[in-house]
Amino acid sequence: MTDQSQLDGNILNDVADALIYSDRSGTITRWNRASTALFGFTAGDALGQNLDLIIPEHLRAAHWKGFEAALASGAMKLAGRPTLTRALHKSGRKLYIEMTFALVRDAGGAVLGSVAMARDVTERVERERAAKTSQNS
């Protein structure tokens, strides 16, 4: 059997949802295979980059306000509940994604950064919008 840290790394890399960890400055330091599949950026493209890499420009101010508030308070407004938002693909295409967020702490309780899990829900959202539009016609 592999050691625990290797096993943890394998699990994080192999989960079906995109997993992104950023430090307190918003620098991406963990990017799994599903993140590459979802956003189009390889780990080499993403690691060391700012989260703005995948945040549409019109949402960046709100994102950073929430990010800074969570770091300062040590609490997330959504408390682990999924939220629907937009994200950027490497191609420039905008995606609808469902995300959950959590703060990551050290053994003493200090916040080290934030982890997000994301999945693409673009097809579902577009299908629901099309159905709503046809109902209202």
Side-chain angles (χ1 to χ4, degrees), residues 18-68:
L19 180 135
I20 303 149
Y21 173 77
S22 68
D23 64 17
R24 291 182 64 91
S25 71
T27 300
I28 298 167
T29 61
R30 189 75 166 96
W31 185 265
N32 70 351
R33 280 196 282 261
S35 298
T36 297
L38 177 57
F39 298 108
F41 296 99
T42 66
D45 294 333
L47 295 174
Q49 298 298 311
N50 187 281
L51 288 168
D52 284 347
L53 182 71
I54 58 170
I55 302 169
E57 195 168 335
H58 72 282
L59 295 176
R60 289 178 185 164
H63 168 269
W64 291 112
K65 182 178 178 187
F67 187 88
E68 295 298 328

